[in-house]
Amino acid sequence: MTIPSASPVPPYEEIAESAVVVALPMRMRFRDITTREVMLFRGPAGWGEFGAFVEYDDAESAAWLAAGIEAAYLGPPSAVRDSVAVNATVPAIPADQVDEVLARYPGAHTAKVKVAQEGQTLDDDVARVEAVRSRIDHVRVDANGKWTVQQAIIAIRALGELQYAEQPCATIDELAAVRAAVDTPIAADESIRRASDPLKVIAAEAADIAVLKVAPLGGMRRVLDLAGRIPIPVVISSALDSAVGISAGVATAVALPAEPPACGLGTGGLFVTDVAEPFVPEMGSLSPRLVDIDPTALPLAGEDRRDWWLERLRRCLAILADN
């Protein structure tokens, strides 16, 4: 994926001067982690977030840095609406814990449920989805590419009526095969944000919905540009961002020309502590706002982790400069 230059690449010293690395404890395991690390830094337009997951290589992580630089140096694009509806996000928890999670999403009419968790069964997924469906109007599931084609077909049929199934399999060809075999709409996430060509999934007719995440795709303006070239509905979603990253996601969603379906931007409730006042849905929606933080009141990571992130920053800045 070519990383856009939404704003000039600042020198390392300029970003490092204000950079802080935080370790945000999570209420429950999500995406196989219990603590979320991100780097935050300040620019002339506000705070930016560099939060590529620690296992990602530098080439992929550089896009996340580009998104943070855009937020800190350019700020958000112009909004065309005042708020955006968001879905509840339900981790791969036991069905009897669903009420506790949904209580953090007042007014939500849509929920995305994580499925295909390692160590769990399809029966666990069915029980979790049924518990959510009994309380929420519209249910989506997200398998994060963990199923085979045959497993996906069996699971999607067993899970009943769904608004869509997100990334049931890992590859575009597999998505297309599942889409041809089931009536449930298929959404693509990783097949867009981790692809060398984000539009390949569209050309392959492998998805009905595009899930776009600001940080992995290089920033707010790149997502808006990409959304304008995608002829299917677009959902803006979080990459398990802190409040700084969520601010960029909400700003993108309210700048889309067409109002999107409920977006996956209500993930702030997954953190025990955030870097600022979290984005809490009101009547199922979030409104855009800039986030300011107090660097002295943050749950900082250890010095060894700060050093690790600073070295990563240096390497990723070099990639952006080369681009």
Side-chain angles (χ1 to χ4, degrees), residues 19-86:
V20 291
V21 177
V22 298
L24 304 177
M26 302 185 64
R27 297 182 186 276
M28 55 191 66
R29 183 176 294 275
F30 187 83
R31 205 187 169 276
D32 292 327
I33 62 175
T34 55
T35 302
R36 178 73 165 114
E37 284 188 356
V38 301
M39 172 182 278
L40 305 172
F41 54 90
R42 180 187 282 280
W47 287 92
E49 177 170 328
F50 176 31
F53 294 110
V54 296
E55 68 271 20
Y56 285 7
D57 65 22
D58 292 345
E60 184 170 2
S61 300
W64 298 62
L65 178 56
I69 291 171
E70 178 199 30
Y73 284 79
L74 289 183
S78 298
V80 297
R81 64 186 62 84
D82 296 330
S83 64
V84 60
V86 296

Side-chain angles (χ1 to χ4, degrees), residues 251-290:
T252 306
V254 298
L256 289 168
E259 185 171 1
C263 289
L265 296 167
T267 54
L270 297 173
F271 298 125
V272 176
T273 302
D274 208 330
V275 301
E277 180 184 353
F279 281 79
V280 178
E282 295 185 9
M283 299 303 294
S285 296
L286 292 176
S287 297
R289 60 179 167 87
L290 290 177

Side-chain angles (χ1 to χ4, degrees), residues 1 35 53 90 104 106 109 121 145 172 223 244 262 267 283 301 318:
M1 179 175 67
T35 302
F53 294 110
V90 181
R104 294 194 283 273
H109 296 286
T121 67
I172 291 174
V223 167
V244 172
T267 54
M283 299 303 294

